[in-house]
């Protein structure tokens, strides 16, 4: 190779080193090919790339799930249903069947030699309730009423007539009692409440729409007349055809007749007392006016 030819090859290699790599952006089209002219999004239209024309879709401002445009959404488009009125304020009573209650007793989760209330049932870990979800206590249902064979002194918040008959047929006693929302937080978890170091509050009386239920002796309300409750026990026994056991002759008469005061939350603990779990003692108020305030 001559000197001039070698010099030309060196120039060619030097040119290749400076030129960009071959790609679709710097190669020429084949001779005779035709391409469709692209028009931008201007006065005479153009592609919107699936975003539509104006609105939140074009701006990628997507609506939240369940939102409807316009001034008349779905839940206001139809006529008013009166049975929904105040549904967010109604009290709920999570159910507990007699069959579940019997299983708790058979598995030694509950002690029938002591009165059973909401606090004891929640401490079994088998019954869950949350006052923040408008739960106001136990609704004892009649499922397994024929299999229930235990004698108990139980306090619930709602019970039907077959449930009351199943309890009293076996020599037991049932009471329906109301707990306000502040008392429920203390009842469902006593240990957590006692660790706060607060005084035991008074239980509030039932609201106006629940007074009739808890003062009715047929419902075994805790505000009903005891003499009328005894009469309703006899009436219910005659209605369902069973022999009503005599409480006065029962060896567990003292346990079966234990009741809470309408202002009392825990059995054996008065309102105003402070339970000290660390020192294992109970602090009682010495001021007479303070004692009357909690007990009134």
């Amino acid at each position: 190779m001559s000197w001039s030819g070698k010099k030309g090859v060196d120039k060619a290699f030097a040119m290749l080193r400076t030129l960009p790599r071959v790609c679709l952006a710097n190669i020429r089209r084949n001779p005779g090919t035709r391409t469709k002219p692209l028009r931008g999004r201007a006065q005479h239209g153009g592609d919107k790339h699936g975003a539509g024309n104006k609105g939140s879709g074009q701006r990628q401002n997507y609506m939240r799930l369940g939102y409807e445009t316009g001034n008349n959404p779905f839940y206001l488009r139809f006529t008013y249903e009166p049975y929904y009125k105040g549904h967010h304020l109604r009290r709920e009573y999570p159910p507990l069947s007699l069959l579940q209650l019997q299983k708790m007793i058979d598995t030694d989760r509950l002690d029938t030699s002591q009165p059973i209330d909401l606090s004891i049932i929640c401490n079994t870990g088998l019954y869950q309730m949350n006052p923040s979800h408008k739960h106001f206590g136990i609704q004892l249902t009649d499922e397994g009423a024929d299999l229930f064979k235990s004698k108990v002194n139980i306090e619930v918040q709602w019970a039907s007539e077959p449930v009351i008959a199943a309890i009293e047929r076996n020599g037991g006693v049932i009471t329906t009692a109301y707990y306000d929302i502040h008392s429920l937080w203390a009842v469902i978890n006593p240990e957590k409440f006692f660790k706060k170091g607060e005084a035991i509050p008074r239980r509030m009386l039932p609201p106006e729409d629940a007074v009739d239920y808890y003062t009715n002796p047929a419902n075994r309300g805790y505000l009903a007349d005891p003499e009328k409750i005894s009469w309703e026990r006899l009436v219910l026994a005659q209605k369902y055809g069973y022999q009503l056991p005599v409480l006065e002759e029962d060896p567990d008469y003292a346990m079966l007749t234990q009741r809470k005061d309408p202002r009392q939350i825990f059995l054996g603990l008065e309102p105003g007392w402070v339970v000290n779990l660390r020192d294992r003692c109970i602090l009682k108020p010495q001021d007479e006016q303070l004692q009357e305030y909690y007990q009134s």
Side-chain angles (χ1 to χ4, degrees):
M1 181 182 295
S2 62
W3 174 255
S4 60
K6 185 178 181 181
K7 188 176 181 180
V9 172
D10 294 338
K11 288 183 177 181
F13 279 117
M15 185 181 297
L16 289 176
R17 293 189 186 97
T18 57
L19 290 176
R21 293 180 178 273
V22 178
C23 62
L24 295 176
N26 56 19
I27 62 175
R28 184 174 296 180
R29 297 183 180 273
N30 295 330
T33 58
R34 298 182 59 184
T35 59
K36 182 179 179 180
L38 298 177
R39 186 195 305 177
R41 295 175 57 184
Q43 180 180 3
H44 302 288
D47 189 16
K48 304 240 189 300
H49 304 286
N53 186 24
K54 300 182 181 178
S56 59
Q58 183 189 32
R59 296 169 178 83
Q60 296 185 1
N61 183 21
Y62 303 111
M63 296 177 289
R64 65 180 185 272
L65 188 63
Y67 176 77
E68 296 184 53
T69 58
N71 297 327
N72 196 11
F74 178 81
Y75 69 95
L76 295 178
R77 198 173 302 160
F78 301 96
T79 56
Y80 172 68
E81 301 293 346
Y83 49 80
Y84 283 138
K85 182 179 180 180
H87 69 281
H88 61 291
L89 300 175
R90 295 177 182 174
R91 294 182 295 274
E92 296 184 10
Y93 299 90
L96 176 69
S97 66
L98 287 173
L99 181 61
Q100 293 174 317
L101 183 64
Q102 185 64 52
K103 288 182 178 180
M104 292 180 185
I105 297 173
D106 294 340
T107 55
D108 295 333
R109 297 295 186 101
L110 295 177
D111 185 10
T112 57
S113 63
Q114 300 294 331
I116 300 172
D117 60 355
L118 177 61
S119 178
I120 296 177
I121 293 178
C122 288
N123 286 338
T124 62
L126 302 178
Y127 181 82
Q128 303 294 332
M129 64 168 295
N130 190 353
S132 61
H133 294 169
K134 302 298 180 182
H135 294 173
F136 276 80
I138 298 173
Q139 177 186 359
L140 198 59
T141 61
D142 58 355
E143 181 185 359
D146 298 335
L147 303 176
F148 188 78
K149 303 298 180 183
S150 299
K151 181 176 62 176
V152 295
N153 180 6
I154 188 170
E155 179 191 82
V156 295
Q157 283 60 60
W158 199 273
S160 60
E161 187 178 82
V163 171
I164 298 174
I167 296 291
E168 296 178 349
R169 181 185 58 198
N170 294 283
V173 177
I174 183 172
T175 306
T176 56
Y178 172 80
Y179 288 88
D180 59 280
I181 191 69
H182 299 289
S183 300
L184 284 173
W185 284 113
V187 169
I188 61 176
N189 195 342
E191 182 181 2
K192 182 179 179 180
F193 174 76
F194 292 150
K195 286 182 178 179
K196 295 180 181 179
E198 299 179 359
I200 300 175
R202 294 182 301 173
R203 183 169 26 153
M204 297 292 102
L205 295 177
E208 184 178 357
D209 59 345
V211 170
D212 293 339
Y213 182 85
Y214 292 107
T215 56
N216 190 352
N219 299 327
R220 308 300 187 265
Y222 73 119
L223 299 178
D225 188 357
E227 295 182 358
K228 294 182 179 180
I229 291 179
S230 299
W231 172 256
E232 291 293 338
R233 284 170 55 89
L234 181 60
V235 171
L236 190 63
Q238 294 177 352
K239 180 178 180 180
Y240 282 84
Y242 59 86
Q243 185 67 30
L244 183 65
V246 182
L247 290 179
E248 290 76 11
E249 299 177 357
D250 196 295
D252 299 327
Y253 175 77
M255 184 273 294
L256 294 174
T257 54
Q258 290 187 26
R259 293 289 185 278
K260 294 180 183 178
D261 187 80
R263 292 291 195 174
Q264 194 175 2
I265 297 178
F266 302 105
L267 188 64
L269 297 176
E270 297 293 336
W273 293 2
V274 178
V275 178
N276 190 341
L277 296 180
R278 187 184 63 179
D279 299 335
R280 297 181 180 273
C281 63
I282 298 176
L283 307 178
K284 303 178 182 180
Q286 300 296 328
D287 190 354
E288 296 181 357
Q289 296 182 355
L290 188 61
Q291 291 181 2
E292 293 177 357
Y293 169 77
Y294 279 105
Q295 294 177 0
S296 62

